[in-house]
């Protein structure tokens, strides 16, 4: 596309690329693992081996660059492969700051693996900017990691303010923007250096691909180290998965917009529910991070919310046991709505309350979702 267009159009047409050789609108899937060298020993195609260079990544990476307003993007085999590459491109001895409440698998990796590998990892309350200011060590802190809204309490961090604090301390800001997706927030335009997505979630959106992505504001030595981590450790996405991801992203705006609308309606319904202790959703005016969320999220507050069920852990688990339309499963951002007792997943050291159910509101009819959850709360309470 030569014209400047709105992001919905970019996503729907995947930048409007047409295959030169065939005029195909849907791209080919390149399965070749290797590429021919020129007779004079050069690789003018720019492609050597598919662990690093696969033409099946190009379009999806270009779409992500455009949606996030970045200059470089890389697909990874999973969100975890993308997130860990951000840290592994640093050096042993570097100090990094991460939130206490964040995607649990990455928190575990940071606490158990990254520390053994030599990173100094400090966990703080990332909704508290004064705490962040105190934690940044000039000349030592290389990276601040933010997740907003953060799993599974949907804690909000002010990205622009965190970016300023990180920069003043000589550190980069990386944002796990999986929950917001580029439909709602563009962290690079707010001052972040790197955006990470579990593309398994909203970007692909159909619960049928595990994938990850990073987008960088600019090319740099650091970005080249991130790319080297991908190529050398080998967390590369397969060509079929890259193709499915590109297809999924075409409907990203429709799916996220439907999920936001339904989540807002559901949150307001649940807030008045006699069997619900508390609703955690950034779209509610009573939610602590609401005003910052309103400032940095456009088009809605996301499809993710959590509820604390009256009657404690047993009532929460019994509620999840009685759903019919909602599916009891981990993950988020697919087409089918999911419910999960989060503390059971996170294990012994979880900061998550035991009465909490995490809801991924997706694209079904919202009245069906409300009725099903309402009857499950009542039956769960009686159980
Ligand atoms: C799922 C998820 C991840 C990890 O991504 P995978 O694709 O499962 O490896 C990281 N961050 C958030 C917020 C997630 O929801």
């Amino acid at each position: 596309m030569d014209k400047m267009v709105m992001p919905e159009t970019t996503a729907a047409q995947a930048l409007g690329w047409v295959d030169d050789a065939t005029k195909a609108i849907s791209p080919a899937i390149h399965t070749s693992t290797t590429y021919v060298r020129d007779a004079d020993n050069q690789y003018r195609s720019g492609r050597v081996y598919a662990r690093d260079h696969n033409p099946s990544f190009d379009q999806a990476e270009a779409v992500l660059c455009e949606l996030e307003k970045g200059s470089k993007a890389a697909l990874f085999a999973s969100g975890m492969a993308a997130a860990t590459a951000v840290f592994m491109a640093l050096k042993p001895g570097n100090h990094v700051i991460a939130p206490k409440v964040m995607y649990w698998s990455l928190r575990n990796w940071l606490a158990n693996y990254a520390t053994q590998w030599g990173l100094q990892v400090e966990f703080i309350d990332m909704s508290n900017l004064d705490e962040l200011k105190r934690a940044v060590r000039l000349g030592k802190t290389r990276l601040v990691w933010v997740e907003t809204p953060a799993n599974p309490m949907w804690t909000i961090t002010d990205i622009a303010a965190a970016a300023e604090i990180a920069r003043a301390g000589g550190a980069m800001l990386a944002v796990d923007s999986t929950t917001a997706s580029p439909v709602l927030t563009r962290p690079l335009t707010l001052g972040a250096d790197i955006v990470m997505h579990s593309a398994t979630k909203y970007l692909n959106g159909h619960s049928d691909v595990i994938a990850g992505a990073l987008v960088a504001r600019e090319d740099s030595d650091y970005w080249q180290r991130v790319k080297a981590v991908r190529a050398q450790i080998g967390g590369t996405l397969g060509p079929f998965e890259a193709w499915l991801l590109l297809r999924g992203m075409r409907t990203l705006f429709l799916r996220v917009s439907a999920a936001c609308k339904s989540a807002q309606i559901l949150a307001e319904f649940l807030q008045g529910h006699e069997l619900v202790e508390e609703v955690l959703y950034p779209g509610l005016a009573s939610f602590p991070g609401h005003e910052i969320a309103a400032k940095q999220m456009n088009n809605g507050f996301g499809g993710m919310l959590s509820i604390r069920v009256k009657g404690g852990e047993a009532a929460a688990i019994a509620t999840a046991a009685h759903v019919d339309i909602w599916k009891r499963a981990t993950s988020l951002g697919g087409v089918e709505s999911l419910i999960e007792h989060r503390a059971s997943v996170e294990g012994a050291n979880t900061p998550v309350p035991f009465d909490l159910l995490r809801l991924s509101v997706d694209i079904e009819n919202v009245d069906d979702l409300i009725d099903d959850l309402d009857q499950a709360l009542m039956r769960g309470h009686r159980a």
Side-chain angles (χ1 to χ4, degrees):
M1 262 178 295
D2 302 326
K3 269 180 67 176
M4 292 282 286
V5 294
M6 298 299 278
E8 293 90 328
T9 309
T10 299
Q13 298 198 358
L15 286 168
W17 288 15
V18 173
D19 182 64
D20 278 341
T22 62
K23 302 294 169 199
I25 275 184
S26 170
I29 299 173
H30 292 272
T31 56
S32 186
T33 54
T34 192
Y35 304 89
V36 171
R37 200 187 262 279
D38 300 330
D40 61 358
N41 219 30
Q42 303 293 303
Y43 268 115
R44 281 189 197 77
S45 71
R47 303 184 194 278
V48 178
Y49 187 59
R51 185 154 19 81
D52 202 22
H53 309 126
N54 189 318
S56 303
F57 303 160
D58 295 354
Q59 196 169 356
E61 290 178 347
V63 168
L64 282 168
C65 266
E66 181 56 32
L67 293 181
E68 290 288 6
K69 297 291 171 207
S71 59
K72 294 283 171 190
L75 300 184
F76 285 80
S78 66
M80 280 299 287
T84 54
V86 170
F87 292 96
M88 295 188 82
L90 299 174
K91 293 178 181 153
N94 286 167
H95 176 245
V96 300
I97 305 170
K100 274 186 192 146
V101 178
M102 63 182 284
Y103 179 69
W104 71 289
S105 197
L106 184 60
R107 187 184 72 220
N108 282 349
W109 183 86
L110 285 170
N112 301 321
Y113 183 90
T115 48
Q116 280 179 25
W117 183 68
L119 286 182
Q120 294 180 43
V121 185
E122 187 171 344
F123 293 99
I124 66 162
D125 171 2
M126 204 52 89
S127 64
N128 183 338
L129 294 171
D130 290 330
E131 207 172 310
L132 176 60
K133 262 186 217 150
R134 283 195 298 275
V136 173
R137 299 183 211 158
L138 194 64
K140 274 224 89 150
T141 306
R142 283 288 290 133
L143 186 92
V144 176
W145 183 269
V146 161
E147 180 181 333
T148 185
N151 255 290
M153 325 277 271
W154 318 115
T155 321
I156 301 292
T157 297
D158 185 330
I159 296 172
E164 216 168 284
I165 294 168
R167 182 147 318 123
M172 292 180 288
L173 183 77
V175 179
D176 180 342
S177 197
T178 300
T179 302
S181 88
V183 177
L184 308 181
T185 306
R186 296 170 174 207
L188 301 181
T189 67
L190 299 169
D193 299 284
I194 301 267
V195 178
M196 172 255 155
H197 287 285
S198 167
T200 310
K201 314 295 168 55
Y202 290 103
L203 294 180
N204 178 65
H206 293 76
S207 302
D208 54 9
V209 171
I210 295 277
L214 296 178
V215 187
R217 194 154 44 79
E218 58 193 21
D219 199 359
S220 61
D221 291 348
Y222 169 75
W223 177 253
Q224 292 308 320
R225 283 206 301 281
V226 168
K227 290 293 298 284
V229 169
R230 184 180 78 168
Q232 290 161 9
I233 294 180
T236 321
L237 194 63
F240 292 103
E241 287 73 12
W243 188 91
L244 280 169
L245 172 59
L246 185 71
R247 183 173 71 170
M249 286 196 295
R250 291 176 186 267
T251 54
L252 175 67
F253 282 77
L254 289 177
R255 287 183 286 100
V256 170
S257 135
C260 286
K261 266 195 211 119
S262 294
Q264 185 74 39
I265 293 169
L266 203 71
E268 284 166 17
F269 167 77
L270 290 165
Q271 201 174 29
H273 201 287
E274 57 179 357
L275 299 177
V276 175
E277 189 71 50
E278 191 183 1
V279 181
L280 304 172
Y281 184 61
L284 295 174
S286 57
F287 188 76
H290 174 72
E291 276 173 30
I292 296 162
K295 193 180 68 174
Q296 69 189 21
M297 299 176 85
N298 308 306
N299 310 314
F301 294 89
M304 296 304 297
L305 63 109
S306 295
I307 54 175
R308 300 188 62 182
V309 177
K310 278 192 185 153
E313 181 176 20
I317 291 175
T319 298
H322 285 99
V323 292
D324 179 25
I325 292 169
W326 294 78
K327 299 291 173 268
R328 268 183 311 284
T330 197
S331 199
L332 57 105
V335 284
E336 59 291 286
S337 294
L338 306 179
I339 187 166
E340 178 176 45
H341 181 251
R342 195 64 198 166
S344 305
V345 180
E346 299 202 5
N349 298 322
T350 179
V352 175
F354 286 92
D355 57 3
L356 182 141
L357 291 174
R358 186 180 84 169
L359 307 177
S360 171
V361 182
D362 292 294
I363 67 167
E364 305 93 329
N365 179 282
V366 68
D367 293 326
D368 286 343
L369 295 177
I370 288 179
D371 291 348
D372 190 37
L373 193 57
D374 188 35
Q375 64 80 28
L377 279 162
M378 281 187 291
R379 288 166 67 197
H381 195 72
R382 266 188 251 120

